[in-house]
Amino acid sequence: MKSQLEALRAFEVNRALAARSDRHDLRTPLNAILLSLEGIRLLGDLNNDQMTSLALAEKNYEAVCSMLDQMLDIDCIDARGGAALTKRAALPLELIARATEQIAALATERRQILKSSTATIRALAVDSEKIVRVLVNLLANAVKFTPGGGVISVAAADSEEDGSRAVLFTVSDSGIGLREADIARIFSEGFRVKADAPTHRSTGIGLTFCKRVVEAHGGKIWVESQPGHGATFRFRLPAPI
């Protein structure tokens, strides 16, 4: 029985690595696209409409690269688990500050109020880059689902469960909320909410990435929401005693 389980595990790991290799191959055409865009910019003498189109193409290039990075990270975590993380000491305040810095302009553009607070000074042993991307994903979703003038909050506080110390991160919004059926599947890879939602062009990768990263840290992520009453995403990360 043990040998069969080991063989099955080896098969799953090899399949995940093969998928990661296939996705990694996408880097080649993407790099070619970037070089082409840079070449166009170097030609100069572009009119305003052409410059606008070029900037839009570059923005979409960056979006595709971000999605590809997340897919590669998902595959790597599936194959290696916690070994895929590069952990260092980090303060929740620093993680939140880095994430809100990336989202602030987008929230301002939509006339939204972005609030942040930290009620803990505990240092965490985390892969900072990935945790910041988790926060950015959650905040970006909050921005998309919240009407102009709405409020988005991100916070961190001490938490304790079954005698284990942790830090609880919370991202909440005053947006359209989620249906119960969506909550049950929200973290599944490829799942998207109803077609008429603001994220109708979403790939369904971001929240899957969040779940994989949080769980690879030994943590837990979940969402609380009701239609018309916003959504609150929470994730708990273990903190050293």
Side-chain angles (χ1 to χ4, degrees), residues 90-100 124 126 128 131-132 135 169:
L91 293 173
L93 176 64
E94 297 170 350
L95 299 173
I96 288 177
R98 289 173 57 188
T100 54
L124 299 171
V126 296
S128 296
I131 294 299
V132 169
L135 289 167
F169 291 84

Side-chain angles (χ1 to χ4, degrees), residues 137-165:
N137 279 346
L138 296 178
L139 287 168
N141 278 347
V143 168
K144 291 176 185 177
F145 280 105
T146 302
V151 179
I152 298 166
S153 302
V154 55
D158 292 334
S159 176
E160 189 166 332
E161 184 174 311
D162 298 328
S164 298
R165 292 184 178 179

Side-chain angles (χ1 to χ4, degrees), residues 86-179:
T86 303
K87 292 184 178 182
R88 294 186 176 87
L91 293 173
L93 176 64
E94 297 170 350
L95 299 173
I96 288 177
R98 289 173 57 188
T100 54
E101 183 179 13
Q102 295 182 45
I103 294 296
L106 187 58
T108 299
E109 181 181 332
R110 292 177 58 87
R111 298 179 292 104
Q112 295 166 336
I113 300 171
L114 180 59
K115 299 180 178 180
S116 64
S117 63
T118 307
T120 178
I121 58 173
R122 286 180 179 169
L124 299 171
V126 296
D127 188 320
S128 296
E129 295 301 322
K130 290 183 174 60
I131 294 299
V132 169
R133 283 165 60 192
V134 167
L135 289 167
V136 168
N137 279 346
L138 296 178
L139 287 168
N141 278 347
V143 168
K144 291 176 185 177
F145 280 105
T146 302
V151 179
I152 298 166
S153 302
V154 55
D158 292 334
S159 176
E160 189 166 332
E161 184 174 311
D162 298 328
S164 298
R165 292 184 178 179
V167 171
L168 179 66
F169 291 84
T170 303
V171 176
S172 60
D173 63 63
S174 59
I176 64 174
L178 293 165
R179 299 175 301 178

Side-chain angles (χ1 to χ4, degrees), residues 24-126:
H24 188 76
D25 288 341
L26 292 173
R27 285 287 186 189
T28 300
L30 282 174
N31 288 337
I33 291 172
L34 178 60
L35 289 174
S36 297
L37 294 175
E38 290 176 344
I40 293 173
R41 190 175 292 280
L42 290 174
L43 291 175
D45 298 326
L46 300 176
N47 60 41
N48 290 336
D49 289 340
Q50 290 170 327
M51 290 295 291
T52 299
S53 295
L54 181 59
L56 179 61
E58 290 172 337
K59 182 178 180 180
N60 281 296
Y61 163 84
E62 292 174 357
V64 172
C65 283
S66 177
M67 287 186 287
L68 178 59
D69 286 340
Q70 292 188 106
M71 287 190 290
L72 291 172
D73 282 333
I74 289 171
D75 290 337
C76 188
I77 290 172
D78 284 346
R80 302 180 59 205
L85 305 176
T86 303
K87 292 184 178 182
R88 294 186 176 87
L91 293 173
L93 176 64
E94 297 170 350
L95 299 173
I96 288 177
R98 289 173 57 188
T100 54
E101 183 179 13
Q102 295 182 45
I103 294 296
L106 187 58
T108 299
E109 181 181 332
R110 292 177 58 87
R111 298 179 292 104
Q112 295 166 336
I113 300 171
L114 180 59
K115 299 180 178 180
S116 64
S117 63
T118 307
T120 178
I121 58 173
R122 286 180 179 169
L124 299 171
V126 296

